[in-house]
Amino acid sequence: MFPTLSRHAALRILPFTVFMGLLALRGMAPEDGTWGFDPRWLYGVTVAVVGGLLLLWWRDYAELSARHRPTAAEAVLAVGVGLVVFGLWITLDAPALRLGEPTARFVPLDAAGRLDWPLIAVRWIGAALLVPVMEELFWRSFLMRWIERHGFESVVPQQVGLRAIALSTGVFMLAHTLWLAALVAGFAYAWLYVRTGKLWVAVIAHAVTNGVLGVWVVATRSWTYW
């Protein structure tokens, strides 16, 4: 029988589930606006809804409390790892290293082909500020520790074994189009969490990767990465 999930587990699963559900809806929405709205703005709805859930339950995320803030050295390490992952993300993009196409592509251009800055701002905020918190709570804080032991709340990050790291990172990889880049990223963020025992370090690295990637995407108009 599948083990009963605790409230702590549910609060880490639900924001991620809602995010993925709205992402799927955005992928199904016709780009010509026949549903009566610009489907790209569904990302704004996603940011508002998922961000609201995270704020509502913020006090329940003990691993993100003030006492778990990273030291200056840990923050520098996180930034360095985030930049390395960004570099690999835009390098490991050969056709053989892709798993299909993105569920919902995001091209923030207006009818005249000009950059739509409100859309860009919403997309960047979601990718750089919301997604790192939401995903690290789900992939590393919950799933990785849950695989190690179902009572994941009592699992100290440093106690997580290679099996749990590998399995959770494998599933993380399947949720991304660039499978090898995602595999490297997943192991890197997991390593930071296990090494430091602080989820914030993984969150910062993830935020740096996504934030710099967003700037690069807009600068080069490489929309396939969004």
Side-chain angles (χ1 to χ4, degrees):
M1 182 180 295
F2 195 81
T4 302
L5 294 174
S6 66
R7 180 176 184 274
H8 292 289
L11 296 189
R12 287 155 181 78
I13 294 171
L14 284 174
F16 178 80
T17 303
V18 171
F19 182 91
M20 296 303 290
L22 290 172
L23 181 67
L25 179 63
R26 187 159 56 91
M28 292 186 293
E31 295 183 5
D32 60 6
T34 52
W35 281 10
F37 59 87
D38 184 341
R40 295 176 300 178
W41 280 106
L42 272 175
Y43 195 86
V45 174
T46 302
V47 170
V49 172
V50 176
L53 292 177
L54 292 174
L55 288 175
L56 177 64
W57 298 323
W58 191 261
R59 292 184 179 180
D60 292 281
Y61 303 133
E63 61 271 57
L64 296 179
S65 65
R67 66 189 183 92
H68 291 297
R69 289 174 182 169
T71 64
E74 290 167 341
V76 169
L77 175 63
V79 171
V81 170
L83 290 173
V84 170
V85 172
F86 157 72
L88 292 172
W89 198 274
I90 62 173
T91 303
L92 302 174
D93 63 347
L97 303 179
R98 291 179 176 269
L99 290 173
E101 295 296 326
T103 303
R105 297 180 66 175
F106 193 91
V107 181
L109 300 175
D110 62 19
R114 295 169 301 199
L115 295 173
D116 190 325
W117 288 106
L119 275 173
I120 289 170
V122 168
R123 183 67 175 86
W124 190 89
I125 289 170
L129 303 181
L130 176 76
V131 168
V133 175
M134 174 202 72
E135 287 203 346
E136 293 308 313
L137 281 169
F138 176 75
W139 294 114
R140 257 61 71 176
S141 177
F142 165 65
L143 186 61
M144 188 176 74
R145 291 193 296 163
W146 183 83
I147 292 173
E148 183 68 27
R149 186 165 67 246
H150 292 337
F152 79 99
E153 303 96 324
S154 62
V155 176
V156 176
Q158 290 90 337
Q159 295 175 339
V160 175
L162 183 58
R163 172 181 171 273
I165 294 172
L167 288 176
S168 59
T169 301
V171 182
F172 175 80
M173 175 196 73
L174 294 175
H176 295 79
T177 305
L178 296 175
W179 67 266
L180 184 55
L183 193 66
V184 173
F187 273 118
Y189 303 149
W191 174 76
L192 286 173
Y193 187 32
V194 171
R195 182 182 186 276
T196 66
K198 296 177 180 178
L199 191 67
W200 270 120
V201 181
V203 169
I204 292 171
H206 201 153
V208 168
T209 299
N210 287 10
V212 176
L213 179 64
V215 173
W216 180 84
V217 164
V218 175
T220 62
R221 299 201 177 194
S222 302
W223 308 122
T224 56
Y225 290 87
W226 260 7

